[in-house]
Amino acid sequence: MNKNAKIIAIANQKGGVGKTTTSINLAAALAQRKKKVLIVDSDPQGNSSSGVGINMKKVHIHLYHAYSSGYSVQEVRMPTQSPNLDIVPSSIDLVAAEIEMIGVENRELRLKYMLEPVAQDYDYILIDCPPSLGLLTINALTACDSVLIPMQCEYFAMEGLAQLVSTIRSVKKSFNKALYIEGLVLTMFDKRNKLTHQVAAELKNHFVNQLFTTVIPRNVRLSECPSHGKSILDYDKSSTGAVAYTKLAKEFLNKQRK
């Protein structure tokens, strides 16, 4: 069966907005719905890798080696504890890849070429981007079909968003003509906070059809699960966080059918 995965970059250059949480838990929720999913941990912090239970002390080849040493994604990907879910792990070494790529020809296209051979193995490939707009993020935006933007409802959120949208436009113009914004997901949503509702309303005005209706609440269980190396669905499937990501996966899949 020859299918091609849809590739989604999960990006926001602002740190601490729920990129990794969304990468892991949306992937896990899609995998539970019998979709074959690959997470590409493109953040040198490697939080997606540890968040799905990978012990990086025991991993000798990872995404950095695919960028720098000619290893294929087939060689560096690993299964996770969750059925249907694989990961290309990452470590702090990945910082060096960004430096090493500076003088390389077609450096923006490296990840795109690396993912092509595995695209037919998956339904979805989610790329967890670093909190910056450097070469690793540019590679992700060039390799993907669409961008999913997790957004925290706070004062500076809109400011960072304008910068990200500008980068997406530049990549679309130069390297990836078909690139589009999949949608924005509101994370760490605190319904008791007035500012949360103000930012949500403003985003709704600016991104009329691109804001997911599912919001991800602030949830203690969600912040606990990475330290156990489990997705929220494996850690506490009855928590509000698990319910929210299950709902987000359903909304995401419905969007694909339209």
Side-chain angles (χ1 to χ4, degrees):
M1 180 179 162
N2 193 15
K3 56 176 179 165
N4 253 359
K6 178 167 186 178
I7 303 176
I8 299 122
I10 298 181
N12 190 329
Q13 79 278 17
K14 200 171 180 314
V17 297
K19 272 190 306 292
T20 298
T21 302
T22 297
S23 300
I24 293 170
N25 294 306
L26 177 58
L30 290 169
Q32 279 207 350
R33 299 178 85 91
K34 304 284 189 286
K35 302 296 179 190
K36 283 283 291 170
V37 186
L38 175 69
I39 298 172
V40 177
D41 188 353
S42 191
D43 185 344
Q45 293 173 88
N47 292 337
S48 276
S49 306
S50 57
V52 295
I54 303 293
N55 180 353
M56 287 310 290
K57 288 182 182 141
K58 295 180 179 173
V59 176
H60 303 298
I61 54 168
H62 40 75
L63 185 58
Y64 168 72
H65 299 94
Y67 268 113
S68 73
S69 308
Y71 281 89
S72 68
V73 169
Q74 289 99 316
E75 290 171 294
V76 298
R77 68 182 168 185
M78 302 174 71
T80 69
Q81 302 159 43
S82 307
N84 300 320
L85 181 59
D86 294 343
I87 187 161
V88 173
S90 174
S91 85
I92 196 67
D93 296 349
L94 192 58
V95 169
E98 207 150 30
I99 299 159
E100 288 164 14
M101 277 195 283
I102 287 168
V104 175
E105 204 179 340
N106 293 330
R107 59 186 180 269
E108 301 86 358
L109 303 168
R110 298 287 292 280
L111 187 59
K112 177 184 166 72
Y113 295 146
M114 284 173 352
L115 292 177
E116 277 171 1
V118 297
Q120 59 190 30
D121 299 342
Y122 299 97
D123 296 299
Y124 296 102
I125 296 175
L126 305 186
I127 308 171
D128 183 15
C129 295
S132 71
L133 294 175
L135 262 177
L136 291 170
T137 298
I138 301 295
N139 263 271
L141 295 175
T142 303
C144 71
D145 297 297
S146 64
V147 192
L148 184 68
I149 306 170
M151 291 280 302
Q152 198 179 344
C153 291
E154 56 167 38
Y155 184 68
F156 292 115
M158 298 295 285
E159 215 170 81
L161 183 60
Q163 208 183 342
L164 178 60
V165 169
S166 165
T167 302
I168 291 168
R169 283 195 188 120
S170 301
V171 171
K172 184 180 169 82
K173 196 174 168 187
S174 306
F175 307 110
N176 187 355
K177 301 279 185 282
L179 181 62
Y180 66 97
I181 294 173
E182 184 73 41
L184 286 79
V185 180
L186 300 179
T187 59
M188 303 175 205
F189 196 90
D190 182 356
K191 60 180 184 221
R192 297 163 303 178
N193 185 325
K194 193 177 169 190
L195 181 64
T196 294
H197 293 283
Q198 286 171 349
V199 175
E202 203 172 329
L203 284 167
K204 216 168 193 169
N205 285 337
H206 282 79
F207 296 89
V208 187
N209 301 314
Q210 291 171 308
L211 193 62
F212 280 90
T213 55
T214 305
V215 298
I216 309 301
R218 280 196 182 276
N219 177 231
V220 174
R221 304 302 267 168
L222 256 184
S223 40
E224 285 172 356
C225 62
S227 62
H228 296 269
K230 290 181 173 181
S231 75
I232 189 63
L233 290 101
D234 291 322
Y235 181 63
D236 184 354
K237 65 171 189 268
S238 62
S239 66
T240 57
V243 170
Y245 274 108
T246 302
K247 201 174 158 195
L248 180 65
K250 192 178 176 185
E251 187 181 353
F252 171 83
L253 290 171
N254 285 339
K255 216 169 173 238
Q256 309 311 306
R257 293 188 193 109
K258 286 175 184 172

